[in-house]
Amino acid sequence: MRDLITKELLKYNKKTITLEELETWIPSNSLNYEQFAQLILSFEEEGILEMVKSKGRNTRTPSLAYTYRITKQHLKKDFHEELKSYRLRLHPSIHLDSYFGLDPSQWNSDKPYLLLIHDYLESFGFPTHEVPAPERSVELVGDEKWITDKHGKELLERIGLWTAMKIIPVSDPLMFAVNPSVLTQKVQKHLIVENKTTYQALVDSLSDMDFSTVIYGSGNKIIKSIEQFHRQLPLPHAEHRFYYFGDIDNSGIFIWYRLNEKVPVHLAMPFYQACLDKPSLEGKTNQRMDRAAIDVFLCLFTEQEREKLLAVLDRGHYYPQEILKTSELEHIWRNATWN
């Protein structure tokens, strides 16, 4: 019953609690008043519950305060002592520092998996080769979905072992066409396009361009699938330069913004500027605007271009990639300066 009260106190958001509220946490008929009182008094003695003097105490025996002030620092004392003891028990590479700032329920949830990871490291040490997440998941905890679907990745990051476990990210393969004639160059240029129509319009021209690949981003999928790039096109000594061309709408801008957070990606500016010479289209009013993404995107344009883009987005208009015909796309790609 003490563990139940402790758990509820840790979740409780207010600084004070009434005796009546404490009583509601006890299952009916599980304790008589004397047993309940002794339990609450034990929390008083440890400084976890402190009487609010202005509210007074009841007249029953043993006497309890009508209202208590909660001191969670004392409440977590046992929890912190447990963490310190596990620091000595677990493999030294398992870092527990983050748990001191988390709710004990997170520790209790993670502990069985930490013990399994400890056993794995004691038996096999650190892996030397990368394997897919489900395979490593089975090796570590006996559940192929633990890393991908059951917060296993978050736990490994929490204890500082995600990189050391050499896990191949689970994401769709990156879809791209390759221009083998330029793969020996020091600087490798790659054009990522958001939509399939634009990819198909450009892929037949790739062999005539100074680009190594044209990549089909498939909307949001590129944010994850870009993780596969170096595995699918291993050119260790090359300098890779990515360019992105997507729809000029809230969604297309946000995709580029998120992708740019993972790997530096230039806007394929000649394509975007060509779109701005066209009349915008109505629609896309149901998309959520991400202000940070819009601000970063607009910073890359001239003041005049920014004003036009803002006016287009504010009206609920947009520029789809398909506003540029195949012949226009090929001409721009071939003749623009790609720094």
Side-chain angles (χ1 to χ4, degrees):
M1 201 61 67
R2 180 182 174 84
D3 290 342
L4 173 63
I5 296 291
T6 299
K7 182 179 178 181
E8 293 297 332
L9 285 171
L10 284 166
K11 292 191 299 183
Y12 197 70
N13 293 324
K14 298 178 183 178
K15 293 182 178 180
T16 61
I17 186 169
T18 65
L19 182 60
E20 188 176 46
E21 287 177 282
L22 286 168
E23 289 174 335
T24 64
W25 292 348
I26 304 299
S28 59
N29 301 320
S30 59
L31 296 178
N32 59 35
Y33 174 78
E34 185 175 352
Q35 291 170 323
F36 171 71
Q38 292 298 340
L39 178 60
I40 298 305
L41 289 173
S42 70
F43 284 104
E44 276 196 54
E45 291 169 6
E46 294 172 30
I48 296 169
L49 293 177
E50 179 185 351
M51 171 188 173
V52 177
K53 293 181 180 179
S54 61
K55 301 296 183 180
R57 303 182 77 91
N58 67 18
T59 57
R60 301 181 68 177
T61 305
S63 179
L64 296 175
Y66 285 116
T67 303
Y68 286 100
R69 185 174 292 106
I70 304 168
T71 307
K72 288 192 177 182
Q73 182 179 349
H74 295 311
L75 190 62
K76 291 186 176 182
K77 182 179 179 182
D78 291 344
F79 167 52
H80 288 172
E81 290 300 320
E82 182 181 359
L83 286 177
K84 291 175 184 177
S85 71
Y86 270 89
R87 269 179 168 170
L88 301 175
R89 290 178 52 187
L90 295 176
H91 193 279
S93 63
I94 297 175
H95 299 295
L96 302 182
D97 292 1
S98 63
Y99 288 101
F100 284 88
L102 297 175
D103 191 284
S105 63
Q106 186 67 63
W107 163 253
N108 291 326
S109 175
D110 288 356
K111 185 161 53 175
Y113 298 108
L114 294 174
L115 293 171
L116 291 171
I117 294 167
H118 164 81
D119 290 342
Y120 173 88
L121 291 172
E122 289 289 308
S123 299
F124 306 107
F126 287 103
T128 56
H129 301 288
E130 284 190 320
V131 299
E135 181 178 338
R136 185 71 75 220
S137 198
V138 170
E139 291 177 348
L140 291 175
V141 304
D143 180 350
E144 76 278 6
K145 295 183 178 180
W146 176 69
I147 289 175
T148 55
D149 299 348
K150 301 179 181 179
H151 307 293
K153 182 177 188 292
E154 290 86 343
L155 184 150
L156 291 171
E157 290 175 335
R158 192 177 294 128
I159 62 175
L161 289 184
W162 173 251
T163 301
M165 285 301 169
K166 295 188 178 297
I167 296 164
I168 298 174
V170 175
S171 57
D172 290 333
L174 190 64
M175 293 174 277
F176 59 85
V178 177
N179 180 7
S181 66
V182 299
L183 291 182
T184 57
Q185 295 181 4
K186 174 64 176 176
V187 177
Q188 300 284 310
K189 295 193 284 287
H190 311 277
L191 176 61
I192 304 169
V193 295
E194 181 182 341
N195 300 328
K196 189 181 299 182
T197 302
T198 308
Y199 172 84
Q200 292 173 335
L202 291 172
V203 69
D204 290 337
S205 304
L206 176 60
S207 59
D208 300 325
M209 306 297 174
D210 188 30
F211 274 70
S212 305
T213 67
V214 57
I215 300 170
Y216 170 40
S218 188
N220 281 293
K221 288 185 179 180
I222 186 64
I223 298 169
K224 284 292 291 179
S225 61
I226 196 65
E227 297 172 352
Q228 303 287 354
F229 175 80
H230 292 288
R231 186 170 288 106
Q232 292 181 226
L233 191 68
L235 299 171
H237 302 296
E239 175 190 333
H240 295 286
R241 190 174 298 162
F242 295 95
Y243 296 86
Y244 185 82
F245 176 41
D247 293 340
I248 304 179
D249 59 18
N250 289 317
S251 178
I253 293 169
F254 185 68
I255 292 169
W256 166 78
Y257 177 74
R258 288 290 310 283
L259 180 62
N260 190 52
E261 288 181 325
K262 299 193 76 169
V263 57
V265 183
H266 304 277
L267 288 181
M269 198 61 75
F271 291 121
Y272 285 97
Q273 290 167 332
C275 289
L276 291 178
D277 291 333
K278 306 280 186 178
S280 59
L281 304 183
E282 294 183 19
K284 303 288 182 132
T285 57
N286 61 335
Q287 292 182 346
R288 184 180 67 87
M289 176 182 285
D290 186 285
R291 192 71 252 177
I294 298 293
D295 289 344
V296 175
F297 180 80
L298 291 176
C299 282
L300 302 173
F301 292 84
T302 66
E303 184 176 351
Q304 185 177 356
E305 290 166 341
R306 286 198 294 271
E307 291 177 358
K308 184 169 185 177
L309 283 165
L310 272 175
V312 166
L313 294 172
D314 287 344
R315 292 201 313 272
H317 282 217
Y318 76 112
Y319 293 100
Q321 290 182 284
E322 294 82 358
I323 206 166
L324 299 179
K325 298 177 181 178
T326 298
S327 58
E328 292 176 293
L329 290 165
E330 291 176 341
H331 177 79
I332 294 166
W333 200 15
R334 182 177 288 108
N335 295 290
T337 300
W338 301 98
N339 296 322

